[in-house]
Amino acid sequence: MDLKDKDQVGKNSSFFDSFKYAFKGVLTAFQEERNMRSHILIGSIVLILCAFLDLTVNEWLWVLFSIFLVVIMEIWNTVIENVVDLVTGDIFHPLAKKAKDMAASAVLLTAGFSIIVALIIILPKLWQILF
């Protein structure tokens, strides 16, 4: 974290700064969270696969929506984990565990939703090509 980041406690000074710090947040999540890298890798593979399938606009929207939703939920999970760790430190608290478990379950449920979308949209198209 550079000195400017440490000193900033208020709003961003410019519209450009807002984008810069938002992009930094995505980059930090990608660099520091193994699960984020896994979600990005799997999402990229799905997008490459979909490029070779004859998806309608609506199917593309569902696929993109489910991939982005998993990534967004992973970021929220990380935010919640970091805030809970900041507040509790090394002290165990059952409410802290509950919050972290529920945040992780949101990612799990969203990933399950993405799998259902893939089964409905991608699997039949692959089935037609392969058999």
Side-chain angles (χ1 to χ4, degrees), residues 64-84:
L64 289 169
F65 174 73
S66 61
I67 291 170
F68 273 87
L69 194 59
V70 169
V71 171
I72 291 165
M73 293 308 290
E74 185 62 46
I75 289 171
W76 272 112
N77 179 45
T78 302
V79 167
I80 291 167
E81 288 178 348
N82 285 329
V83 170
V84 166

Side-chain angles (χ1 to χ4, degrees), residues 5 8-10 13 17-18 25 42 47 51 57-58 60 76 81 83 89 91 97 100 102 110 113 121 128 131:
D5 289 343
Q8 182 176 349
V9 293
S13 58
D17 281 346
S18 296
I42 293 167
L47 289 176
V57 171
N58 282 337
W60 270 110
W76 272 112
E81 288 178 348
V83 170
I91 300 167
K97 180 184 181 332
K100 290 170 102 174
M102 285 189 258
T110 307
F113 169 76
I121 294 174
Q128 285 179 339
F131 300 104

